[in-house]
Amino acid sequence: MLRNFHQTHKMATLAVSGHFAARILTKHGAMGLVYIPSAQYSSEVKPNLAAYKRGTGGRSSFNGIVATVFGCTGFVGRYVCNKLGKIGSQMILPYRCDFYDAQRLKVCGDLGQVLFSPFDLRDEESIAKAVRYSNVVINLIGRDYETKNFKYKDVHVDGARRLARICREMGVERFIHLSYLNAEENPKPLVLSKPSMYKISKFQGECAVREEFPTATIIRASDIYGSEDRFLRCFASSWRHHAQLFPLYKNGMATIKQPVFVSDVAQGIVNAARDPDTRCMTYQAVGPKRYLLADLADWFHGLMRKDKELWGYRRYDMKYDPVFPLKIALVNLISPAYPFGNLHWEAIEKEATTDKFESNIPTLEDLGVNLTNMEDQVPWELKPFRAYQYYMDKVGEFAKPEPPTPQPF
């Protein structure tokens, strides 16, 4: 059989100007000369040796991913950097703050794997420098409140468009953009007198990214909780309370939340960066269960030992409180650049918004993430905010509050 193969084809190869020249005898008896390019001998093909995988797959190896993480010093960014470094990714971390605020991320990767680059969101040259050698770019830049230097449109729309356009021009393969679950073009105002610019700018930012980088991966996240978040900490902040009283939109009975753990969001972003099939996709970053906001508020205060019996906690409808708007105005007047306790109207509007889950859009579970239940994580997150923290209680002296009842989808 092997002899018949050689008699049929009679192939001979010659090295001609860096190519293989193959003379093939067809079944009709005609001779043909075919040039086959060879990467070993061609001077035209220059493989990128820096992108080759090396090592066994841990923090001291290299998996071929060179990722630029914008917003690396933020809440979600720190988790993303740690998980990228854990699987052997090289990271380029742009920063606009003091270098020593970003320096702590150096230990996320092995020696030489974490590089820093100063940048400004309005400086295209610094952005191009940060993404020039990357094959994955992750945009985690966001703004919960406006300042005199950066409005919502500057960050969520213009900034996202600029990043996506420069990444496309520099030949970046993957672009991942973190957005907001309830982003809408025309949202209905709940607490505000006009539609939320936070929601509108997040929606426009998604559209801008799609226009500039059509194959981008967009992840829409609900309220994200974890260490140093702006969700649980609002319920624990004294600025959000009136002594033991806690105001909520419609007493929390008209809002359903589906919070997600920050580590799950970070793992979904990393999995999306490793999977080429996530191009052009949109994912929902939501938790496994939905809860009534009133039940969540009661449970959070119970975990902090601030219930009705011990602490005198009581929630009520904020529309019956004329002092609460004055308090928000005073907080924003005292500290316009950083509202104390994250107390501002856009945050209250976001808190009052029901998470809109769409069953036809994939979630983090489709990215291979095992979602964390709030019942397993939140007690640990709220432990530093407990009342009577230095009281040596006996076992069982403080009753363990029952978790809230999940709401149907």
Side-chain angles (χ1 to χ4, degrees):
M1 186 175 182
L2 183 61
R3 182 178 301 174
N4 293 337
F5 174 84
H6 285 291
Q7 288 177 352
T8 304
H9 296 281
K10 292 184 179 180
M11 179 182 294
T13 60
L14 297 172
V16 180
S17 65
H19 292 73
F20 283 127
R23 184 177 289 113
I24 302 176
L25 180 63
T26 64
K27 62 181 181 179
H28 300 292
M31 296 296 293
L33 192 64
V34 180
Y35 289 94
I36 305 175
S38 171
Q40 287 85 352
Y41 296 94
S42 176
S43 60
E44 302 172 3
V45 181
K46 295 181 180 179
N48 183 10
L49 298 178
Y52 285 1
K53 297 181 180 180
R54 295 186 292 272
T56 56
R59 217 177 273 269
S60 297
S61 62
F62 178 59
N63 61 3
I65 294 178
V66 181
T68 298
V69 184
F70 289 96
C72 58
T73 58
F75 171 48
V76 180
R78 299 192 294 269
Y79 288 82
V80 172
C81 292
N82 182 46
K83 290 183 178 294
L84 284 173
K86 192 174 183 179
I87 60 175
S89 306
Q90 187 176 79
M91 287 172 283
I92 300 171
L93 305 183
Y95 64 95
R96 72 180 184 96
C97 53
D98 189 277
F99 169 71
Y100 292 101
D101 292 335
Q103 188 187 29
R104 69 189 71 178
L105 299 174
K106 188 75 173 178
V107 296
C108 288
D110 203 0
L111 186 63
Q113 291 290 84
V114 182
L115 308 174
F116 297 93
S117 177
F119 94 108
D120 188 279
L121 192 59
R122 294 160 294 198
D123 183 8
E124 297 189 2
E125 184 177 351
S126 64
I127 296 174
K129 181 181 178 181
V131 304
R132 179 173 292 121
Y133 303 104
S134 301
N135 49 30
V136 175
V137 173
I138 303 171
N139 178 28
L140 305 175
I141 298 178
R143 199 94 200 122
D144 284 347
Y145 48 86
E146 294 184 329
T147 64
K148 64 178 181 179
N149 294 321
F150 289 98
K151 305 302 181 183
Y152 286 132
K153 185 176 182 298
D154 300 331
V155 179
H156 297 157
V157 185
D158 299 338
R161 181 186 296 276
R162 190 174 297 113
L163 291 178
R165 174 176 55 81
I166 294 175
C167 288
R168 174 177 51 81
E169 294 172 351
M170 299 301 294
V172 175
E173 299 175 11
R174 304 293 314 283
F175 188 84
I176 301 174
H177 176 71
L178 182 63
S179 185
Y180 177 49
L181 179 67
N182 303 310
E184 293 183 76
E185 185 177 9
N186 297 303
K188 178 184 177 181
L190 302 174
V191 178
L192 298 173
S193 58
K194 57 183 180 180
S196 169
M197 281 306 300
Y198 178 85
K199 298 178 183 178
I200 295 174
S201 62
K202 281 290 188 179
F203 174 83
Q204 293 175 347
E206 289 186 19
C207 298
V209 167
R210 284 286 186 222
E211 291 174 7
E212 299 293 343
F213 205 109
T215 60
T217 302
I218 294 177
I219 297 180
R220 296 174 179 169
S222 61
D223 294 282
I224 305 175
Y225 67 90
S227 298
E228 303 179 10
D229 66 353
R230 292 196 180 113
F231 179 67
L232 297 178
R233 267 66 185 169
C234 290
F235 291 88
S237 173
S238 58
W239 291 95
R240 187 66 177 79
H241 293 78
H242 288 330
Q244 286 79 22
L245 305 179
F246 192 75
L248 280 174
Y249 169 73
K250 292 188 177 181
N251 202 14
M253 302 302 294
T255 305
I256 296 178
K257 290 292 186 182
Q258 198 169 350
V260 60
F261 185 40
V262 60
S263 184
D264 296 342
V265 178
Q267 189 61 56
I269 293 173
V270 172
N271 292 353
R274 302 180 69 183
D275 188 358
D277 293 335
T278 60
R279 289 186 176 93
C280 310
M281 295 291 290
T282 298
Y283 293 90
Q284 297 177 117
V286 294
K289 301 175 184 176
R290 295 169 66 85
Y291 303 96
L292 196 65
L293 182 60
D295 295 341
L296 284 177
D298 294 345
W299 183 48
F300 294 160
H301 284 83
L303 292 173
M304 294 185 290
R305 296 176 180 173
K306 297 178 180 179
D307 54 9
K308 294 181 180 179
E309 290 76 16
L310 291 175
W311 197 67
Y313 155 79
R314 185 169 65 86
R315 56 177 167 82
Y316 62 95
D317 194 339
M318 65 172 58
K319 74 176 182 179
Y320 298 117
D321 187 357
V323 180
F324 190 62
L326 299 177
K327 183 177 183 179
I328 296 178
L330 179 62
V331 167
N332 287 265
L333 182 64
I334 296 174
S335 178
Y338 183 81
F340 297 134
N342 200 37
L343 187 60
H344 56 98
W345 283 116
E346 284 286 356
I348 301 298
E349 179 79 10
K350 183 180 178 182
E351 177 188 271
T353 303
T354 295
D355 289 336
K356 298 177 181 178
F357 177 79
E358 299 183 30
S359 58
N360 59 331
I361 299 179
T363 64
L364 293 178
E365 292 180 296
D366 296 286
L367 289 171
V369 179
N370 295 322
L371 297 179
T372 303
N373 292 314
M374 293 192 73
E375 297 84 351
D376 301 328
Q377 188 65 31
V378 171
W380 186 89
E381 299 288 350
L382 290 178
K383 191 174 181 179
F385 303 96
R386 292 190 307 186
Y388 320 109
Q389 188 72 276
Y390 299 101
Y391 172 70
M392 302 297 293
D393 56 303
K394 299 177 182 179
V395 176
E397 183 174 353
F398 290 98
K400 185 178 180 181
E402 289 294 328
T405 304
Q407 300 293 314
F409 282 83

